[in-house]
Amino acid sequence: MPMVLLTCDKDIPERQKHIYLKAPNEDTREYLPVANAATIPGTLSERGCAFCGAKLVIGGVLKDTIQMIHGPLGCAYDTWHTKRYPTDNGHFNMKYVWSTDMKESHVVFGGEKRLEQSMNEAFDEMPDIKRMIVYTTCPTALIGDDIKAVAKKVMKDRPDVDVFTVECPGFSGVSQSKGHHVLNIGWINEKVATLEPEITSDYTMNFIGDFNIQGDTQLLQTYWDRLGIQVIAHFTGNGTYDALRGMHRAQLNVVNCARSSGYIANELKKRYGIPRLDIDSWGFSYMAEGIRKICAFFGIEEKGEELIAEEYAKWKSKLDWYKERLSGTRMAIWTGGPRLWHWTKSVEDDLGIQVVAMSSKFGHEEDFEKVIARGREGTYYIDDGNELEFFEIIELVKPDVIFTGPRVGELVKKLHIPYVNGHGYHNGPYMGFEGFVNLARDTYNAVYNPLRHLAGVDIRNKSLETPTIRREAA
């Protein structure tokens, strides 16, 4: 089947290149949606900007680092506290937001003095924090402020601090994916191998592309501890600035989110010869497979099998309870990028759910290649979906639940369709064995919640019958 032009897109026919309906007996490589391309004028995108991709997704997760946004206050506020990235040091990264608070006069006359003042003020107010990341935004990049020069001056004046700069204004890419790339490459160029880590195990790795959403990293860390594997650096969930400087000493790079962080893993392989191993950490089958891959690399397969057996004994019966009740549920997944292909087979295989539509905000064509290969026939695959397309797809596939972020989630709730927060989670963590039971529980609670049906009843019209409410199997 050729690419699909939805009715709502009749005045934007270019959108046909971005939507594919999988049909049997097709070479799906011929029908990959166009991705990582500029949003078409006239369509309302759900994407974030390149600055957001650098600060909100990666840099802002670090637990011991001041995140200085050189720009208007709104750029800082809009990327503060919008995702649940807890840490084991009191959630420092979630408590504070830093900004140079650029005004019109600073744009006219230059903001470098303002930046230097703000950096010094931040270090003075937080004397225990010695690390900082500085980000440009659209206005400070347009006027040409040299943030690297300012950072060098501050470090010269304060020899005990270290500052990393990210020159990635919002307009520099078509989506937040550009920000991922810029921060990855900048970090390995400027900071990797500037500090030697302490090695405490015969087995060492970097865990790349996990951001500790509601404790994902901390849950997985219990597995690595039980296996005797030292994680030199978490990029960047519950991670520290200095740990990331020692990434060059790991024996293995384990990549979870390939779209946000695969770039640094590739460079670590080129420059330091560190092998890259990609895993999926959502779902029982995928998590077990990932543990087996890692243990095979280190030659500790027996330890891996013991861990998997222990986790299955503890959690599999709980997962099966949810699978019995969720089998046949129709789900749409509308998230950022790689979670489409991380989740589609895991929810189908481990929970019996049918994924009927998927939309990516910032995925590349290789992400669509993966998800279409894993996905079912009859499923819609959409790049950079917009609001009207979501409405039309809902009518076409009639999902029982949607995995998406709060913006789209609040929209679909008005249609009395439940959503599970696929960005910041409802009640995570969702990774690992215990985490996937949490995901199943939240999905079950969403699907079987009677309130969404009752909300659709107009009590002023007594002739309306009470809707049929889905109840769990006896």
Side-chain angles (χ1 to χ4, degrees), residues 95-114:
K95 291 180 179 177
Y96 305 101
V97 59
W98 300 267
S99 172
T100 55
D101 191 19
M102 293 280 287
K103 307 294 187 184
E104 183 178 351
S105 62
H106 306 122
V107 173
V108 172
F109 297 107
E112 292 179 8
K113 290 182 180 180
R114 179 80 167 185

Side-chain angles (χ1 to χ4, degrees), residues 126-137:
M126 298 182 171
D128 294 333
I129 305 299
K130 303 297 183 181
R131 302 293 180 258
M132 177 185 288
I133 300 179
V134 179
Y135 305 84
T136 55
T137 57

Side-chain angles (χ1 to χ4, degrees), residues 313-329:
K314 188 174 182 179
W315 300 108
K316 186 64 165 61
S317 62
K318 295 178 174 63
L319 187 78
D320 289 342
W321 189 93
Y322 288 114
K323 182 174 183 177
E324 180 182 349
R325 290 156 176 80
L326 289 172
S327 288
T329 297

Side-chain angles (χ1 to χ4, degrees), residues 387-422:
E387 183 177 312
L388 294 180
E389 290 171 351
F390 292 154
F391 284 137
E392 187 166 338
I393 290 294
I394 285 171
E395 286 298 315
L396 289 170
V397 302
K398 294 180 171 48
D400 299 307
V401 64
I402 299 175
F403 268 35
T404 187
R407 282 182 294 181
V408 177
E410 295 303 315
L411 178 73
V412 300
K413 279 202 301 189
K414 296 177 181 179
L415 302 176
H416 312 128
I417 301 172
Y419 91 98
V420 175
N421 190 339

Side-chain angles (χ1 to χ4, degrees), residues 116-422:
E116 182 181 353
Q117 177 188 357
S118 298
M119 293 172 69
N120 283 312
E121 284 180 357
F123 281 125
D124 288 341
E125 289 295 323
M126 298 182 171
D128 294 333
I129 305 299
K130 303 297 183 181
R131 302 293 180 258
M132 177 185 288
I133 300 179
V134 179
Y135 305 84
T136 55
T137 57
C138 291
T140 53
L142 285 169
I143 65 176
D145 278 357
D146 189 347
I147 66 171
K148 286 190 182 297
V150 177
K152 288 179 181 178
K153 184 176 187 305
V154 171
M155 285 191 285
K156 182 179 179 181
D157 295 340
R158 295 173 174 265
D160 60 338
V161 307
D162 199 272
V163 180
F164 174 59
T165 60
V166 181
E167 299 186 79
C168 190
F171 60 76
S172 63
V174 301
S175 73
Q176 56 264 57
S177 182
K178 178 67 174 182
H180 306 158
H181 183 267
V182 169
L183 192 149
N184 277 233
I185 301 304
W187 187 266
I188 195 165
N189 283 341
E190 299 176 24
K191 296 301 178 182
V192 171
T194 60
L195 190 70
E196 289 298 321
E198 180 184 0
I199 305 299
T200 60
S201 171
D202 293 333
Y203 316 117
T204 60
M205 71 181 188
N206 297 314
F207 199 82
I208 295 174
D210 166 34
F211 307 106
N212 202 34
I213 298 175
Q214 287 203 18
D216 278 340
T217 304
Q218 290 163 290
L219 176 72
L220 296 185
Q221 184 62 47
T222 65
Y223 301 163
W224 318 137
D225 289 341
R226 286 154 67 183
L227 294 169
I229 300 172
Q230 178 188 357
V231 179
I232 288 181
H234 289 282
F235 194 93
T236 51
N238 200 38
T240 66
Y241 186 104
D242 283 351
L244 297 182
R245 297 165 70 186
M247 296 179 79
H248 61 297
R249 291 303 183 198
Q251 297 165 314
L252 177 67
N253 288 316
V254 177
V255 178
N256 185 60
C257 179
R259 180 48 51 221
S260 70
S261 309
Y263 313 102
I264 197 167
N266 291 342
E267 290 301 314
L268 286 166
K269 183 176 181 180
K270 290 179 186 176
R271 303 184 192 194
Y272 301 99
I274 306 172
R276 168 177 171 167
L277 191 157
D278 287 45
I279 70 166
D280 300 79
S281 52
W282 288 281
F284 273 46
S285 301
Y286 280 149
M287 189 71 254
E289 179 185 346
I291 290 171
R292 289 187 175 107
K293 287 180 179 178
I294 293 170
C295 290
F297 177 85
F298 290 118
I300 52 174
E301 291 89 342
E302 289 186 8
K303 284 188 176 181
E305 294 302 327
E306 289 175 6
L307 171 61
I308 293 167
E310 290 172 5
E311 292 297 307
Y312 265 70
K314 188 174 182 179
W315 300 108
K316 186 64 165 61
S317 62
K318 295 178 174 63
L319 187 78
D320 289 342
W321 189 93
Y322 288 114
K323 182 174 183 177
E324 180 182 349
R325 290 156 176 80
L326 289 172
S327 288
T329 297
R330 297 168 66 81
M331 174 186 286
I333 303 176
W334 296 340
T335 57
R339 289 190 196 181
L340 274 65
W341 49 266
H342 280 303
W343 282 350
T344 178
K345 282 288 285 180
S346 61
V347 297
E348 289 184 350
D349 292 348
D350 292 346
L351 291 174
I353 288 172
Q354 299 177 15
V355 180
V356 292
M358 285 181 263
S359 177
S360 168
K361 291 182 183 180
F362 57 80
H364 294 204
E365 288 189 358
E366 65 189 74
D367 297 304
F368 277 105
E369 189 172 11
K370 292 176 184 177
V371 70
I372 291 172
R374 290 182 174 184
R376 301 168 61 253
E377 294 172 355
T379 296
Y380 285 89
Y381 301 88
I382 308 159
D383 167 69
D384 192 19
N386 62 60
E387 183 177 312
L388 294 180
E389 290 171 351
F390 292 154
F391 284 137
E392 187 166 338
I393 290 294
I394 285 171
E395 286 298 315
L396 289 170
V397 302
K398 294 180 171 48
D400 299 307
V401 64
I402 299 175
F403 268 35
T404 187
R407 282 182 294 181
V408 177
E410 295 303 315
L411 178 73
V412 300
K413 279 202 301 189
K414 296 177 181 179
L415 302 176
H416 312 128
I417 301 172
Y419 91 98
V420 175
N421 190 339

